[in-house]
Amino acid sequence: QKEVEQDPGPLSVPEGAIVSLNCTYSNSAFQYFMWYRQYSRKGPELLMYTYSSGNKEDGRFTAQVDKSSKYISLFIRDSQPSDSATYLCAMKGAGNNRKLIWGLGTSLAVNP
Amino acid sequence: DGGITQSPKYLFRKEGQNVTLSCEQNLNHDAMYWYRQDPGQGLRLIYYSQIVNDFQKGDIAEGYSVSREKKESFPLTVTSAQKNPTAFYLCASRPPTGGRADTQYFGPGTRLTVL
């Protein structure tokens, strides 16, 4: 079993839909959770960063962490065609030298 | 204008040749990373360096080598020993301790194709 599981999709939604992207993990030591967005043939860019449990909102994006269920989510409201990309979750435990553990990424297409 | 640059953007290699991918950052970050990305396999860590003149193997280091002689530079050499080198290669760096010290910032990537 992988430490981080992420459905690769592809996920296709109409413009304006609410998108829910998810990752599950097995290591209860993970404390730092990130979502990256990667456009085709580009490097990933950090979208959301969350420490421990709870919600974090930034514009149309909301990140949720449920440590009791070992489950993290990224919600995109009012999705736009420009949101079409691959979304990768990443996480790590405490300690500055610990490596990031990555999900496989979910491919999202928002159709006009 | 701070950031991470990778060159070249596209690279073609004949079988049996070594090639070196460049990664430079002017963010004053100590830690730097090399990943390989293949369709359906996500990001896999090749090598990382926490500080100048020091580096460690990642999960798939066989057939690769690195050096870290300067803080700004972390070149990756893909050797002829790498059995399947065709992939998208990503370089990243991480801020020092404090704030978002866990996040990594990526360059634009180099697409290597073996002919």
Side-chain angles (χ1 to χ4, degrees):
Chain A
Q1 182 188 5
K2 289 178 180 287
E3 279 192 282
V4 177
E5 300 277 1
Q6 183 177 11
D7 187 340
L11 183 62
S12 181
V13 301
E15 183 176 354
I18 297 174
V19 176
S20 173
L21 303 167
N22 312 293
C23 288
T24 59
Y25 61 95
S26 58
N27 190 340
S28 58
F30 288 152
Q31 295 187 29
Y32 302 90
F33 304 92
M34 285 141 268
W35 286 96
Y36 283 79
R37 177 176 61 195
Q38 185 179 22
Y39 291 114
S40 181
R41 301 187 185 88
K42 304 288 186 185
E45 56 179 328
L46 180 66
L47 199 57
M48 300 290 282
Y49 172 90
T50 309
Y51 169 69
S52 193
S53 285
N55 293 1
K56 185 172 184 179
E57 188 174 322
D58 184 1
R60 297 183 295 109
F61 298 90
T62 299
Q64 283 186 355
V65 175
D66 181 349
K67 291 191 73 179
S68 62
S69 301
K70 299 189 181 69
Y71 189 89
I72 69 170
S73 300
L74 177 71
F75 296 97
I76 307 174
R77 291 184 300 280
D78 187 24
S79 57
Q80 303 295 310
S82 58
D83 296 326
S84 298
T86 295
Y87 291 81
L88 300 113
C89 64
M91 51 196 78
K92 69 182 286 288
N96 199 38
N97 294 332
R98 290 187 183 270
K99 297 179 291 184
L100 282 180
I101 307 300
W102 294 85
L104 293 183
T106 299
S107 176
L108 171 67
V110 181
N111 305 304
Chain B
D1 192 19
I4 304 173
T5 57
Q6 290 185 242
S7 62
K9 188 172 181 180
Y10 298 98
L11 185 58
F12 298 90
R13 189 195 93 172
K14 293 182 180 178
E15 283 195 30
Q17 286 182 335
N18 293 353
V19 290
T20 297
L21 283 58
S22 169
C23 178
E24 303 278 333
Q25 54 99 0
N26 60 3
L27 300 168
N28 201 34
H29 291 172
D30 286 312
M32 297 186 73
Y33 305 80
W34 273 106
Y35 291 93
R36 169 181 173 142
Q37 188 173 36
D38 297 276
Q41 296 201 44
L43 294 177
R44 293 187 289 169
L45 183 64
I46 304 173
Y47 267 98
Y48 63 104
S49 169
Q50 302 284 2
I51 198 168
V52 174
N53 293 322
D54 185 55
F55 49 83
Q56 286 81 41
K57 293 181 178 180
D59 301 317
I60 55 163
E62 186 176 350
Y64 300 97
S65 66
V66 294
S67 63
R68 187 82 188 277
E69 297 175 1
K70 297 187 300 182
K71 188 175 186 177
E72 301 80 15
S73 179
F74 191 39
L76 174 74
T77 297
V78 184
T79 75
S80 57
Q82 169 50 234
K83 297 286 187 265
N84 185 20
T86 295
F88 189 48
Y89 290 87
L90 288 160
C91 178
S93 68
R94 178 173 59 82
T97 55
R100 292 188 173 185
D102 314 283
T103 59
Q104 293 179 16
Y105 295 87
F106 285 83
T110 292
R111 186 164 298 277
L112 172 64
T113 302
V114 173
L115 303 173

